[in-house]
């Protein structure tokens, strides 16, 4: 016999089973099936492009587990199982275990460099028999949950920079471990995508402007030289001071020293930043990272070296034309001209085999998917789910923008996968856990309203 907490009565076990089945049925009704449809469409199209990128004419079966197309089917199948398990969990368990999962993942990230094999200079992959796992892919999920848990506290308000200290600490800790100890810059930079969530929660827009200014000054300093960058800072400072003087003269206002102080402090900070940009570029970035930035900015022309990937990806995409060459008919991919064509450069296969039309439709589907996630975020009544939802939106948007921009030569090559399309178990599992956790929390919004 089990107790009915609403009436105090004792219920027979059969009634308990009926209640559990009813709860499962409620989840099936409340889950956002539109988002799941997007997920299924993207992973299916992703499998087709993994097949197109890795298919060989002597391949006997597309379902053969000896080939990437067969292995990707395994990753997709296990992702569906993981998604089903997450949807069956009690949403309170996700909330209560947020800090625990974050702490466990930090320990895993710290241990990984000592157990991982060196893969192209990176120490971020753990080997479990025939399976390789990258913990950094799952750290994004646990960090998002920890941030949501902390920032959804009843007494928390984002009013000043002091309120960002702990959230930024939760963010920088895994990011620093991945970048410094694991030497995996691409995966570490993905954590910057959480800035979208901070901005949505009320972070001053000045931080975003400061980030844009930092990027512009960095490019000026390493491409044109520190002196040119300092001159630009000086000119902008003079214009800002002149604007303050003009405003005072026009409006007959008293001189506000606070504004002048802010301008001068920002100018000094920019000058100091310009002075250390070249040092950071030469001594902090790895050689292969420096050459990629130099190729992107046109400082070095290296089509046979660091610029080879991007040059070949442009050729592959351009050769697809308007309608593409057709499924499994891509010559650039069949000849293996494009390195990493099934993983980081999977968009090349899309461009070559499906052309401009297919690539555009894919990007429209991604846009609709991200807009759907924003809709899910905005309809939440509790801060925990809304904050987590915007973390998810930021991660997907960052991956999409950087990956496609990287393939088109608009972004530096930092090696991050295209969500649900790129080959690999870790990335697909990570994205699936990220998405289905959101769907489970979203499905519980009706329970929270009772």
């Amino acid at each position: 016999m089990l107790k009915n907490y609403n009436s105090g009565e004792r219920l027979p076990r059969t009634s308990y089973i009926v209640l559990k089945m009813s709860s499962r049925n409620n989840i099936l009704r409340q889950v956002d099936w539109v988002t799941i449809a997007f997920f299924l469409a993207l992973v299916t199209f992703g499998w087709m492009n993994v097949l197109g990128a890795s298919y060989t004419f002597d391949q006997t079966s597309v379902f053969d587990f000896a080939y990437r197309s067969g292995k990707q089917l395994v990753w997709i199948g296990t992702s569906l199982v993981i998604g089903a398990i997450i949807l069956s969990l009690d949403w309170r368990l996700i909330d209560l275990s947020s800090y625990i999962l974050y702490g466990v993942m930090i320990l895993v990230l710290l241990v990984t460099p000592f157990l991982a094999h060196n893969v192209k200079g990176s120490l971020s992959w753990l080997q479990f028999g025939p399976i390789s796992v990258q913990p950094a892919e799952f750290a994004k999920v646990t960090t998002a949950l920890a941030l949501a848990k902390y920032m959804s506290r009843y007494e928390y308000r984002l009013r000043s920079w002091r309120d960002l200290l702990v959230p930024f600490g939760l963010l920088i800790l895994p990011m620093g471990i991945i970048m410094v100890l694991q030497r995996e810059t691409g995966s570490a930079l993905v954590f910057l995508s959480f800035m979208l969530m901070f901005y949505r929660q009320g972070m001053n827009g000045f931080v975003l402007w400061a980030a844009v200014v930092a990027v512009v000054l960095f490019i000026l300093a390493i491409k044109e030289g520190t002196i040119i960058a300092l001159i630009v800072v000086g000119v902008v400072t003079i214009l800002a001071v002149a604007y303050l003087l003009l405003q005072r003269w026009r409006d007959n206002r008293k001189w506000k020293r606070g504004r002048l102080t802010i301008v001068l402090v920002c100018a000094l900070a920019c000058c100091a930043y310009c002075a250390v940009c070249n040092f950071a570029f030469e001594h902090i970035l790895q050689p292969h990272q420096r050459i990629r930035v130099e190729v992107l900015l046109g400082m070095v022309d290296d089509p046979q070296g660091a610029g080879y990937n991007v040059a070949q990806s442009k050729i592959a995409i351009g050769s697809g034309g308007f309608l593409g060459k057709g499924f499994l008919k891509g010559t650039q991919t069949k000849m293996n001209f494009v390195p990493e064509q099934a993983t980081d450069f999977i968009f090349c296969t899309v461009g070559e085999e499906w052309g401009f039309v297919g690539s555009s439709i894919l990007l429209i589907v991604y846009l609709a998917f991200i807009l759907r996630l924003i809709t899910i975020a905005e309809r939440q009544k509790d801060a925990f789910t809304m904050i987590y939802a915007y973390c998810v939106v930021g991660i997907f948007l960052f991956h999409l923008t950087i990956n496609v921009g990287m393939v088109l030569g608009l972004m530096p090559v930092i090696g991050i996968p295209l969500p649900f399309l790129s080959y690999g178990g870790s990335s697909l599992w990570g994205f699936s856990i990220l998405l289905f956790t959101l769907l489970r929390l979203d499905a519980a919004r009706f329970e929270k309203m009772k």
Side-chain angles (χ1 to χ4, degrees), residues 178-191:
I178 294 169
M179 179 176 288
V180 178
L181 297 183
Q182 298 186 8
R183 294 180 287 189
E184 184 63 47
T185 306
S187 297
L189 291 177
V190 174
F191 286 80

Side-chain angles (χ1 to χ4, degrees), residues 243-299:
Y243 172 76
L244 292 177
L245 291 172
L246 179 63
Q247 190 180 50
R248 175 176 177 265
W249 173 76
R250 185 186 63 186
D251 300 335
N252 292 321
R253 295 178 180 178
K254 293 183 178 180
W255 181 256
K256 294 185 177 181
R257 296 181 180 178
R259 292 184 179 181
L260 179 62
T261 302
I262 291 174
V263 170
L264 294 178
V265 169
C266 289
L268 290 174
C270 288
C271 290
Y273 175 76
C274 292
V276 301
C277 276
N278 276 307
F279 175 83
F281 184 70
E282 294 293 336
H283 299 284
I284 295 180
L285 293 182
Q286 299 293 323
H288 67 280
Q289 295 168 341
R290 290 199 299 270
I291 192 66
R292 287 174 180 174
V293 174
E294 290 171 344
V295 170
L296 176 69
L297 298 179
M299 300 167 62

Side-chain angles (χ1 to χ4, degrees), residues 19-243:
L19 288 173
K20 291 295 288 183
M21 292 177 65
S22 175
S23 176
R24 291 195 185 105
N25 291 333
N26 286 337
I27 292 174
L28 292 177
R29 287 197 301 268
Q30 294 164 2
V31 74
D32 193 273
W33 287 102
V34 174
T35 305
I36 292 181
F38 278 122
F39 167 77
L40 295 175
L42 288 170
V43 295
T44 300
F45 188 64
W47 178 80
M48 293 173 65
N49 284 279
V50 169
L51 173 61
S54 59
Y55 181 78
T56 57
F57 294 109
D58 59 346
Q59 187 171 336
T60 56
S61 172
V62 297
F63 305 109
D64 190 340
F65 295 153
Y67 298 93
R68 283 189 166 182
S69 59
K71 292 178 182 177
Q72 188 69 1
L73 281 177
V74 175
W75 307 139
I76 293 173
T78 50
S79 295
L80 292 173
V81 172
I82 291 172
I85 293 173
I86 292 174
L87 291 179
S88 67
L89 294 175
D90 190 324
W91 66 271
R92 299 175 187 82
L93 181 63
I94 298 174
D95 187 336
L96 294 173
S97 61
S98 297
Y99 288 146
I100 298 174
L101 293 173
Y102 178 81
V104 170
M105 185 51 63
I106 292 298
L107 292 176
V108 172
L109 291 176
L110 287 171
V111 170
T112 297
F114 302 99
L115 302 178
H117 297 288
N118 192 312
V119 180
K120 298 180 181 179
S122 172
L123 297 172
S124 60
W125 291 88
L126 294 176
Q127 191 75 28
F128 299 97
I131 300 176
S132 295
V133 177
Q134 190 176 27
E137 292 293 338
F138 309 104
K140 292 177 286 191
V141 183
T142 57
T143 303
L145 289 172
L147 285 170
K149 180 69 173 177
Y150 182 82
M151 297 179 69
S152 63
R153 294 183 307 157
Y154 180 77
E155 69 275 12
Y156 181 82
R157 296 291 184 276
L158 186 52
R159 292 180 291 263
S160 67
W161 62 269
R162 294 182 183 86
D163 299 315
L164 287 170
L165 291 179
V166 174
F168 274 11
L170 293 172
L171 177 65
I172 292 172
L173 181 57
M175 183 178 176
I177 295 172
I178 294 169
M179 179 176 288
V180 178
L181 297 183
Q182 298 186 8
R183 294 180 287 189
E184 184 63 47
T185 306
S187 297
L189 291 177
V190 174
F191 286 80
L192 295 177
S193 62
F194 291 118
M195 291 299 168
L196 175 65
M197 178 274 294
F198 286 125
Y199 184 71
R200 174 60 181 81
Q201 290 303 110
M203 183 181 70
N204 195 314
F206 175 78
V207 178
L208 297 180
W209 279 108
V212 173
V213 170
V215 172
V216 172
L217 290 179
F218 180 79
I219 294 173
L220 277 175
I222 65 174
K223 187 175 182 180
E224 305 297 337
T226 304
I227 301 299
I228 299 298
L230 291 174
I231 291 174
V232 171
V233 172
V235 171
V236 173
T237 303
I238 292 171
L239 291 175
V241 173
Y243 172 76

Side-chain angles (χ1 to χ4, degrees), residues 372-436:
R372 186 65 184 180
L373 295 182
I374 293 175
T375 301
I376 291 175
E378 288 297 326
R379 72 187 182 195
Q380 302 307 314
K381 302 300 181 182
D382 69 302
F384 177 80
T385 305
M386 187 182 71
I387 293 170
Y388 177 78
Y390 269 102
C391 290
V392 174
V393 171
I395 290 170
F396 279 113
L397 187 60
F398 186 91
H399 270 270
L400 175 64
T401 304
I402 298 299
N403 184 276
V404 175
M406 174 182 76
V407 171
L408 296 176
L410 302 176
M411 298 283 182
V413 180
I414 60 174
I416 61 174
L418 189 60
F420 304 128
L421 260 73
S422 294
Y423 169 81
S426 290
S427 62
L428 185 55
W429 288 348
F431 288 129
S432 299
I433 294 172
L434 196 71
L435 180 63
F436 279 95

